[in-house]
Amino acid sequence: MEKFVINGGKELHGTVNISGAKNAAVAIIPAAILCNDICVIENIPSSISDVVMMMRMLESIGAKVCLRNKSTIEIDSRTINSDCVSYEYTKHLRASYYLLGALLGRYSHARVAMPGGCDLGVRPIDQHIKGFEALGADVRIEENAIVEAKAPELRGGPVYLDVVSVGATINIMLAAVRAKGLTVIENAAKEPHIVDLANFLNTMGADIRGAGTDTIKIRGVESLHGCQYSIIPDQIEAGTYMLAAAATNGDVIINNVIPKHLESISTKLLECGVKVEEYDECIRVCGNDRIMRCNIKTMPHPGFPTDMQPQMAVLLSVAKGTSIISEGIWENRYRYVEQLLRMGASIKVDGKLAVIEGVDYLKGAPVRADDLRAGAAMIIAGLMAHGTTEIEDILHIDRGYEYVVEKLTGLGADIKRIDVPEPTGIRSAG
Ligand code: EPU
C-alpha cells in the first residue's frame, strides 16, 4: 500500500507535458484486435494501471503486446486464440467491456465477464446490449456475471441511444465496423475519444463518418489492416493540471494539449477570474489571489465534463461566494465531499446538487481517494491547503494519472509517494 504526502501552499510554476488520453487508449487497444495484423500505437500512457490491465487482457486472449518505448506499444493480433475474457481481468476497469464489441466484431461471438470500474452509482449496459441486438446479435447475461453475445452474421442497422453513452457508442462502433451493411448510431456521444477511435479505425481501413456529431454512420468493411497511430492528449489530465495551477495561484504552461477539447474548462476558469491563454498546442494558466464563484452543470461533450467535477469543486471551495454544481451524468459522484469537509470546506449535497460556500482556505488532513477523479481532487486540495495532507487509496489515482508525483514535483509541488506498512492482525483484548 502507498499514500501521497503533500505539504501544501506552494504555487505551481513551469511547464507540464500531458500524456496520451486514457479513455482513448482503453478503446483503441481493444480495437486493434479487429485486424489480423500488427498495430503500432503511439502516445500511449503505458504506465497507468488501466492501460496496463487492458494490455494484459489482450495477452490473455493470445495477442502479443510489447512496449517499443514508454509511450509506444505494438499489438500483434495474428495470434489471438480466444473470444472469452475472465473476471480476473474485467474487474479492474470499466473499459474491459470494449472487448465485447471488439471480439463480437472479429468473431461474431464474445464471452466477457461484467466490468468493474469506479463506483459512481448504477452503471447499466442496456444501451450496449440494445446496439449489439440491432446488429443481429443474441445477448445473454449469465447470473449478472458474464455477458455472452453471438450472431450467425453481424449486419448493420439503425441504433437510437436512449441516453448519450460514451461506452455504448464505442462498443457499437467496434461491433459494427466489420458487419455487413450500414449501421447508423443516432444520439451518439461526441467526446474527443470517440473521434479518436473513429480516426484509428479509419486508419485501419474502416468506413466511419460523422464521429464527433450526434449521428455516426459505419459502413461495414470485409477486413481491416494494421496501422500506426498516435493517440490524442488527455483532456481530463490537462484539465486537472489547469485547475491545480489555478488553485495554487500558480503560472503553468500545460503542454501537448488540444485547446479546443478544453474549452468548457477554460471558460469556467475565466469566469472564476483565472487568466487562461491558448496557443496551438499548449495552454497557460495563471492563478488569481481570490477565485470568483461560478455554477457548473456537467453534461456530455461539449458540455462541462463530469470527470472534472470533483476537481472544480475543490477550486470553488475557496471561491468568493456561493457556487452550485449540478451533476448531470452520474448519480453518485459526491463521495469526495466528505473528505473535503474534513479539510474545512463548506459543502452541502442534495441529490445531484452540491452547494459550495467559499471558505478562506483549506487545511491539510488525512483523506482518501474514493475513485480516480475524486483522488485527483484530493491532490489539488492538498496542494492548495495549509499544512500537510495525506491521501490514502492512491491506487485509484494510478489508474489514470501518469507520473503524477514527477510532473507535480517538476512544477515545484512538495508531494511524495510513500509506502504504508500493511496493518498487522489486531489482537482482541480479553
Ligand atoms: N448509461 C445507461 N445505459 C448504458 C450506458 C450508460 O443508462 O447502457 C448511463 C450511465 O449510467 C450514465 C450515462 O449513461 O448515467 C453516461 O454513461 P457513459 O456510458 O457515457 O459512461 P461510461 O462510458 O461508462 C465514460 C468514461 C467515464 C466518464 C463517462 C462520462 C471511459 C472508460 N469512461 O464512462 O470516465 O465519466 O464516460 O463522460 O471512457 C473516468 O475517466 O474517471 C471516468 C469515470
Side-chain angles (χ1 to χ4, degrees), residues 212-401:
T213 74
D214 291 330
T215 307
I216 302 180
K217 293 185 179 164
I218 305 147
R219 193 169 290 283
V221 294
E222 191 88 346
S223 64
L224 296 175
H225 52 78
C227 71
Q228 183 152 353
Y229 189 80
S230 183
I231 286 185
I232 52 166
D234 196 304
Q235 174 203 27
I236 305 300
E237 189 199 17
T240 301
Y241 282 97
M242 288 168 75
L243 263 65
T248 60
N249 196 12
D251 181 353
V252 176
I253 292 173
I254 293 111
N255 203 18
N256 182 32
V257 299
I258 298 175
K260 179 89 188 141
H261 293 169
L262 300 167
E263 260 169 14
S264 58
I265 302 162
S266 302
T267 307
K268 282 295 161 188
L269 282 178
L270 289 167
E271 214 178 306
C272 292
V274 174
K275 203 165 142 196
V276 181
E277 292 170 8
E278 280 186 18
Y279 300 92
D280 284 350
E281 290 184 0
C282 68
I283 280 201
R284 180 176 174 195
V285 176
C286 302
N288 181 344
D289 269 355
R290 196 68 167 115
I291 301 293
M292 308 301 294
R293 59 155 299 280
C294 76
N295 295 337
I296 302 279
K297 180 163 175 46
T298 68
M299 283 189 274
H301 191 77
F304 191 87
T306 173
D307 293 345
M308 286 301 300
Q309 184 259 95
Q311 302 90 312
M312 197 68 196
V314 172
L315 184 70
L316 295 177
S317 70
V318 294
K320 198 175 166 62
T322 306
S323 308
I324 298 176
I325 295 185
S326 168
E327 172 55 46
I329 308 288
W330 299 114
E331 62 171 26
N332 185 14
R333 202 159 206 179
Y334 288 124
R335 285 191 306 153
Y336 66 88
V337 166
E338 191 189 322
Q339 310 299 314
L340 282 185
L341 294 181
R342 302 170 67 226
M343 297 180 76
S346 171
I347 306 176
K348 286 202 174 71
V349 174
D350 182 6
K352 290 197 162 188
L353 292 183
V355 180
I356 306 176
E357 300 284 349
V359 296
D360 287 339
Y361 61 90
L362 296 182
K363 50 186 188 323
V367 293
R368 190 177 66 223
D370 283 308
D371 60 57
L372 170 57
R373 308 304 172 188
M378 289 307 120
I379 292 183
I380 298 176
L383 292 172
M384 72 197 269
H386 295 187
T388 303
T389 297
E390 298 195 355
I391 308 176
E392 285 190 349
D393 291 345
I394 60 169
L395 76 170
H396 293 295
I397 302 174
D398 291 334
R399 290 185 43 210
Y401 289 89

Side-chain angles (χ1 to χ4, degrees), residues 22-23 97 123-127 165-167 307 329-330 373:
K22 167 186 87 94
N23 288 345
Y97 57 23
R123 299 185 77 170
I125 59 164
D126 56 307
Q127 299 304 305
S165 161
V166 171
D307 293 345
I329 308 288
W330 299 114
R373 308 304 172 188

Side-chain angles (χ1 to χ4, degrees), residues 1-3 417-421:
M1 279 208 301
E2 292 176 320
K3 66 179 173 185
R417 178 190 290 267
I418 61 166
D419 274 328
V420 184

